[in-house]
Amino acid sequence: MPAIAPSPDQQVHVTATPLPTRLFEARNTTLALVRHILPEDSVVQSMPEVSPSKWHLAHTTWFFEQFVLAREPGYRPVHADWMALFNSYYHSAGPMFTRARRGLLSRPTLAEIIDYRKQIDERLADLYLRIPAEAERDAVVALGIEHEQQHQELILTDIKHVLAQNPLLPALAPAPTGADADITAVPLRFLDGRSGASQIGHDGLGFAFDCETPRHAVLLYPHRIANRPVNNAEFCEFITDGGYRNPLLWMAEGWDTVQRQGWQHPLYWADDLQSEFSLHGPIALAPARPVSHLGFFEADAFARWAGARLPREDEWEALAGTQPVAGRFQEDGFWHPRPAAHDSGSALQLFGDVWEWTASPFVNYPGFQPLPGALGEYNGKFMCGQWVLRGGSCATPASHIRASYRNFFYPADRWQFTGLRLARNA
Amino acid sequence: MPAIAPSPDQQVHVTATPLPTRLFEARNTTLALVRHILPEDSVVQSMPEVSPSKWHLAHTTWFFEQFVLAREPGYRPVHADWMALFNSYYHSAGPMFTRARRGLLSRPTLAEIIDYRKQIDERLADLYLRIPAEAERDAVVALGIEHEQQHQELILTDIKHVLAQNPLLPALAPAPTGADADITAVPLRFLDGRSGASQIGHDGLGFAFDCETPRHAVLLYPHRIANRPVNNAEFCEFITDGGYRNPLLWMAEGWDTVQRQGWQHPLYWADDLQSEFSLHGPIALAPARPVSHLGFFEADAFARWAGARLPREDEWEALAGTQPVAGRFQEDGFWHPRPAAHDSGSALQLFGDVWEWTASPFVNYPGFQPLPGALGEYNGKFMCGQWVLRGGSCATPASHIRASYRNFFYPADRWQFTGLRLARNA
Amino acid sequence: MPAIAPSPDQQVHVTATPLPTRLFEARNTTLALVRHILPEDSVVQSMPEVSPSKWHLAHTTWFFEQFVLAREPGYRPVHADWMALFNSYYHSAGPMFTRARRGLLSRPTLAEIIDYRKQIDERLADLYLRIPAEAERDAVVALGIEHEQQHQELILTDIKHVLAQNPLLPALAPAPTGADADITAVPLRFLDGRSGASQIGHDGLGFAFDCETPRHAVLLYPHRIANRPVNNAEFCEFITDGGYRNPLLWMAEGWDTVQRQGWQHPLYWADDLQSEFSLHGPIALAPARPVSHLGFFEADAFARWAGARLPREDEWEALAGTQPVAGRFQEDGFWHPRPAAHDSGSALQLFGDVWEWTASPFVNYPGFQPLPGALGEYNGKFMCGQWVLRGGSCATPASHIRASYRNFFYPADRWQFTGLRLARNA
Amino acid sequence: MPAIAPSPDQQVHVTATPLPTRLFEARNTTLALVRHILPEDSVVQSMPEVSPSKWHLAHTTWFFEQFVLAREPGYRPVHADWMALFNSYYHSAGPMFTRARRGLLSRPTLAEIIDYRKQIDERLADLYLRIPAEAERDAVVALGIEHEQQHQELILTDIKHVLAQNPLLPALAPAPTGADADITAVPLRFLDGRSGASQIGHDGLGFAFDCETPRHAVLLYPHRIANRPVNNAEFCEFITDGGYRNPLLWMAEGWDTVQRQGWQHPLYWADDLQSEFSLHGPIALAPARPVSHLGFFEADAFARWAGARLPREDEWEALAGTQPVAGRFQEDGFWHPRPAAHDSGSALQLFGDVWEWTASPFVNYPGFQPLPGALGEYNGKFMCGQWVLRGGSCATPASHIRASYRNFFYPADRWQFTGLRLARNA
């Protein structure tokens, strides 16, 4: 059983919205998000890293059942034999069904899982009626809300991967109106980054994951950083200049991946570089849109080709920490990155549109302490072989992101909305 | 386009039931068979050899569209972009979607495919109204009916494999009433097999696949053959005697498979040898029931352990050709092999209950000619590495089987209802 | 311990040459054969199916130590800790080192293994001095001589595969003088094959492997069979006609192999179809030479393309049984197939030059009994998934082959000197 | 062609020993090192990461031929067709033979390669006679010497892996006299680490690899660091406490590796934890010897189990930079880590015995510039997925190591002499 006490770094702050309200809002948002997903869609696992939509719906529910409801002595699970099915990777919480085989589970059905959500939500509501506040529990509920939001993004990116395997290239949902395809790109410029001693990591106001803490000093070397993410037109230049055929541009392991996987362009692009698959079906490849669905290897190779480099995560955070958290997010309903409409003169699109690969491996901060108990497995055990991404994407809930947020994926992972921003030594 | 003329060996005989009637009966039977399969079930492919139920429903329909309807000049497919999805392996009929990736296709949905079936059935009905008889077409339709029946069996065996991956072990359908679990096994006896010159292969009365022809003479050596299939109790003896741990009982490749796959008992048996998974959920392991879900490797090893051997296919057919085609089949609705109720004194259960592995590799008969055109790909190209099975199973439609029928699978395949009957040199 | 009594089918016949003389001749021939193989060559295992030369030298020696010398009570092995290293696949004879890892053994060295051979040969000589004749032992020694000869052929084909991996394409040995490259091919003609009842299998005169027995009657259908093997020029026609790109010519599993392995021509051919690698280094592709290094899949596809088929093994044996065992063999020292010098009017090159793939899977003959004891593992356990080849090759010792000899390999195996002869239904 | 100018960070300093003398000393040391390696040993590649000894000998020679000799216009290689065989990974230098297939090359032989070394050494000597000094060339030669030394270590660690595959467990060389097995371990103590601002990276005095530069400021947080590496006795406690069975101690990817590879103890340890394989054959597991042949995953898990962590590389360097570079190295001829003989009160064994895994991924330093030209491929392209190790080992040449030296391997790599030192947050 987890035992999480609010700490200075992770305490749940009093906000305008009470915790239970935020909880059920998040839970309902998830349900709204899957309204276009059919029972057949909800089963498929297109690669080991992708989970079926059905599984996401159940796992986020299991999270609350396992870590919140089951904290009460004598708790009887809604479906005891489902618990192992929907445990993702918490060894402390008991056995778990093999991740790569999630797509073999046709039962429980989508309807049964939605009913399971309903029952757990009712039990949570009942719990809050009985016990309106309890510090440890509320810390876990706050974490569960963020966890729910992470899976909202994964539901979108995973179903995109599923649908993209289908030669019929079905759209998940119609695109909302409001074209951006003819927007002219804001000219790429390099801005002075902050240098010298700086502080990064979460400042303790509001929620943060353990891996964002403790806040600590870093030394930043003089550098410049681009005003916006790299766009499709720029990435096309890299391709037509032979970027995918020149080993000197790539990490050794990246070049192996290019060869072995036959990479010739970002994931979801058509081979003729004229269109790309989106959650709204195939769309023309708009030059000004931020390039996305790149692996770290491609982002790194592009930067080298461009005579630049990726920003380090501390450089990125030092810049982003000075900006409001604003951008295009999941709530917009257009689940594809878009160009900035006009040049503000300062850094654009740090938040939303595309996650930005950094030059920083995902490791702990000096003095890092994982969460106590089972939830200590949340982040710490993944601090090996992955790279940090920053800023959120068009699939991230707006309230989920912040300057100190550290996302992380393996360098060959391409199915998230992942792009890049250039940097340079000054 | 296939061009199949009725031949003496393959002509469509006048039977009591007109061909279109048989066609729509077969089509409706398929639909009735999937009534327990939910949309989520219908998507899953649990291994490359298994196809999703949804795919079976569409592929059998495609077969009639491609090989019957599309023979008419100017034919417009119902869904042109579905044709490649549901072509199984006919290179002559155009491109095909990779077999091992069928489980990645969530669309078209189950409902859309059932609608597709309806539309093709209507077109077929319309065609028969317009042109009541045409020899070449009717030969293909007759083949299509048999093809539909083969997929009826596969729908059951494939969905069984899918459901078996699920720790919840869901039943596809409730078992019909009528217990057999307490039946005492008929004593195992060896009967004299027929020896000397004999004829095997299809005699030209009614439908046959090309691989059953031509009928030809064979020389049979003196042998004895068991009165019934091996049962669960007998197979348990093999296991408890260390059968799965003794390499001297196995083909070299079989022993490799045992080691690599960790085989310790037939597929679907519980490790405690007390129960097995069936399409009606987990059931007790009844001693007298024919053992099933064996690979050739296991059947061959068991026979060696028993001081016997598998019958050759000509020995089997020489015996079965003297018997009526009667037994327990798909229509019974109990999709699991059952023991014989009483001893007739002669050979029991040659037809139905379990397919019986033979000692014969699947190769062509002397003088074999594959079907002309695309349908020549039906059987001939699989005559490598597979072994012949005879007699049909509890999942085979009764009207589909005959003494000359040659089924074939790879020696490690275990997900069909496959068992064995012993034989011995005299 | 094996216990082999001479049987009517397998007795060791009195020949002009005494058994011990034949034994040491065979042993010395092996040593002579490896004189070009350097210590570095002798270690490499280029694929799991290939064994290092060093291993062959030790394994054939182990065979005599394990099955002949160790029959004496109280026997002390020369190197007790080597026994498992050089046991190939005899579970009855104790543990064995993993086949696919033989290339990881640098020790014992080549010199140490040659010394081991010497010690075992001395012990064998001593044994024959002490006990000049003993029926059971002598049957095993006779088998051991044939076993030694089989590995002589494998030493050549395996080292060829090893050297072919090296971009330097080193020759094992210089070619003996006597050119054949400009010989004009004998025209291809089809001869009448024998039909009706016939006898195949070993007749009991001289040595035979268990799988050649018992001699038994077969029924042969009217057919015609080619006067000589297919040659390089004919196979080039198949290639330039798109043979490797047309799935309709191939077994389904063969086509998968072509795609997966990227086959475009026989093994060891240059991509420009102008030269091939031989044990005497790269040589021009001579049109009249029998094509070799084909898998069954390629032989079968070629025959289909040519409007013909492969002969069944009984058809082949019925023809070859009427001919003297004469041809080009290992002793010639030119280890590459050669064209027939002139047309005799009857069947040419049935023996020597290239093994000929047949249409027959390797299964037992009716009434087959494996050898008793450990040597029962010699052939019987490989009767699954392999196809019969007949006639021997340019790497086979002349005294090793006969009309009833059944060689066997998997259908994708190409590293032996394997070609084909066409046949047709009459 | 590389073009390397001495830079402030990388200039070749005047030392007591002239460069050509150091060059030929290094070359001769390599030859002396392989005197126990037999021709058969020199061929084997026991896993893709291991190279045959023969290949190391040729590759280091190729390095001088390609990057030093071939800088002269009109240069004719000694063996033009060997160049691709012995190019390791320099795309700029032309094609290269596939790394994982190096063990398939029996030719050139060991003797031919030693002759090749001789010829190149003669050409180098001749070059130095003709042109005693040239800045760019001498920078490459200085790099080539260090490169030669790196491969000296790899020759030892690779041949150890090769010999360990052999059930005979052959020793490469007899152990020199002088026992250490009964030494009592120095008690483990934690020393105060340096904190606050510090400088790490190469200071420009003598040779350094590009990845050690530029020297730059870092911020160190208060921490404590162990006085010596973890020893075998301590690691045995981890094992007997269930360390390899407790997922909560491991990185997620480490736990996957443990499960998939069946790890139960360090590489080369016997399953009974009583002995380990060394280059001097199997030896008893001495409690006080530093544990070695650990992957990062094991080092990290051990540290977590011990309530500690691995030191960051800057923490390590800040400590080691204050110490003389002294310890047990390759020259000792005992190629196995040994315990410290007595407690000095300060940090022991920072250099030599075992490489120490750090908590730092191998990435570039702020302002890093790879070497120009082909030699830019030396380090930079491997800065992904690997972890830094510090301090050198018993297989490292003494003159090769320094406080700023950064070695790097993948977290599952265990075939180097790799151990760990504990650290803790203060």
Side-chain angles (χ1 to χ4, degrees), chain C residues 255-332:
Chain C
W255 181 245
D256 284 351
T257 306
V258 166
Q259 303 291 101
R260 200 173 51 245
Q261 310 277 0
W263 286 1
Q264 300 183 43
H265 48 66
L267 186 65
Y268 301 138
W269 284 28
D271 283 349
D272 64 3
L273 312 187
Q274 298 301 307
S275 66
E276 57 180 327
F277 179 69
S278 82
L279 279 163
H280 311 295
I283 55 177
L285 196 72
R289 280 188 184 140
V291 62
S292 78
H293 296 299
L294 299 181
F296 168 83
F297 291 134
E298 288 159 301
D300 171 74
F302 178 90
R304 194 167 291 110
W305 171 81
R309 61 169 173 83
L310 299 177
R312 295 171 187 249
E313 67 167 323
D314 49 13
E315 294 168 343
W316 191 98
E317 184 171 336
L319 174 61
T322 65
Q323 309 250 340
V325 179
R328 267 87 55 122
F329 295 108
Q330 189 191 98
E331 288 80 357
D332 288 18

Side-chain angles (χ1 to χ4, degrees), chain A residues 18-355:
Chain A
L19 188 65
T21 307
R22 286 175 46 227
L23 165 62
F24 297 113
E25 277 176 5
R27 297 283 291 162
N28 291 337
T29 297
T30 306
L31 272 190
L33 208 60
V34 301
R35 69 187 180 283
H36 300 294
I37 294 177
L38 306 179
E40 286 91 339
D41 298 331
S42 76
V43 179
V44 179
Q45 178 173 36
S46 48
M47 61 176 175
E49 293 84 354
V50 155
S51 291
S53 320
K54 215 156 60 74
W55 186 91
H56 285 297
L57 292 171
H59 165 67
T60 46
T61 307
W62 167 89
F63 189 95
F64 286 108
E65 183 167 33
Q66 173 72 32
F67 294 126
V68 177
L69 297 175
R71 297 171 78 245
E72 298 217 309
Y75 178 78
R76 304 263 306 256
V78 174
H79 299 286
D81 56 355
W82 293 15
M83 297 304 273
L85 293 183
F86 302 121
N87 179 359
S88 52
Y89 54 66
Y90 296 87
H91 293 285
S92 326
M96 63 202 68
F97 190 71
T98 308
R99 182 185 186 192
R101 296 171 62 83
R102 289 175 188 161
L104 303 186
L105 300 176
S106 62
R107 315 285 179 92
T109 63
L110 180 57
E112 289 168 336
I113 285 170
I114 287 175
D115 180 70
Y116 171 49
R117 289 184 68 90
K118 193 154 156 285
Q119 293 191 55
I120 294 299
D121 286 352
E122 285 168 5
R123 292 190 183 193
L124 287 166
D126 177 64
L127 177 66
Y128 268 95
L129 280 177
R130 285 192 287 116
I131 309 166
E134 183 195 353
E136 261 194 37
R137 180 202 65 191
D138 290 349
V140 179
V141 167
L143 177 64
I145 293 169
E146 305 293 325
H147 177 257
E148 183 93 19
Q149 290 185 313
Q150 290 181 311
H151 282 275
Q152 287 169 7
E153 177 150 10
L154 290 173
I155 284 170
L156 290 179
T157 53
D158 285 2
I159 199 69
K160 182 172 182 178
H161 194 263
V162 167
L163 296 173
Q165 309 310 309
N166 194 323
L168 305 178
L169 291 179
L172 178 66
T177 54
D180 66 312
D182 55 354
I183 288 181
T184 305
V186 170
L188 185 70
R189 287 199 325 276
F190 283 83
L191 313 172
D192 283 334
R194 179 165 176 178
S195 65
S198 185
Q199 292 275 327
I200 68 162
H202 191 247
D203 59 11
L205 300 173
F207 178 87
F209 288 109
D210 52 5
C211 62
E212 300 170 52
T213 64
R215 188 162 175 86
H216 64 288
V218 292
L219 289 180
L220 300 178
Y221 291 81
H223 67 280
R224 297 173 62 78
I225 191 163
N227 62 331
R228 61 159 172 78
V230 171
N231 66 29
N232 287 337
E234 289 153 354
F235 205 84
C236 277
E237 279 183 68
F238 168 77
I239 297 175
T240 54
D241 193 41
Y244 282 95
R245 296 190 306 273
N246 181 357
L248 301 180
L249 297 172
W250 297 78
M251 289 285 165
E253 194 180 324
W255 181 245
D256 285 351
T257 307
V258 166
Q259 303 291 100
R260 201 173 51 245
Q261 309 278 0
W263 285 0
Q264 300 182 42
H265 49 65
L267 187 64
Y268 301 138
W269 283 28
D271 283 347
D272 64 4
L273 313 186
Q274 299 301 308
S275 66
E276 57 179 327
F277 179 68
S278 82
L279 279 163
H280 311 295
I283 55 176
L285 196 73
R289 281 188 183 141
V291 62
S292 79
H293 297 298
L294 299 181
F296 167 83
F297 290 134
E298 288 158 302
D300 170 75
F302 178 90
R304 194 168 290 109
W305 170 82
R309 61 168 174 83
L310 299 178
R312 295 171 187 249
E313 67 168 320
D314 48 13
E315 294 168 342
W316 192 98
E317 184 171 335
L319 174 61
T322 66
Q323 311 252 339
V325 179
R328 267 84 57 118
F329 296 110
Q330 187 191 100
E331 289 79 358
D332 288 18
F334 184 66
W335 297 319
H336 206 75
R338 281 181 288 179
H342 61 273
D343 192 346
S344 69
S346 64
L348 296 164
Q349 297 173 286
L350 283 161
F351 298 102
D353 289 314
V354 288
W355 288 99

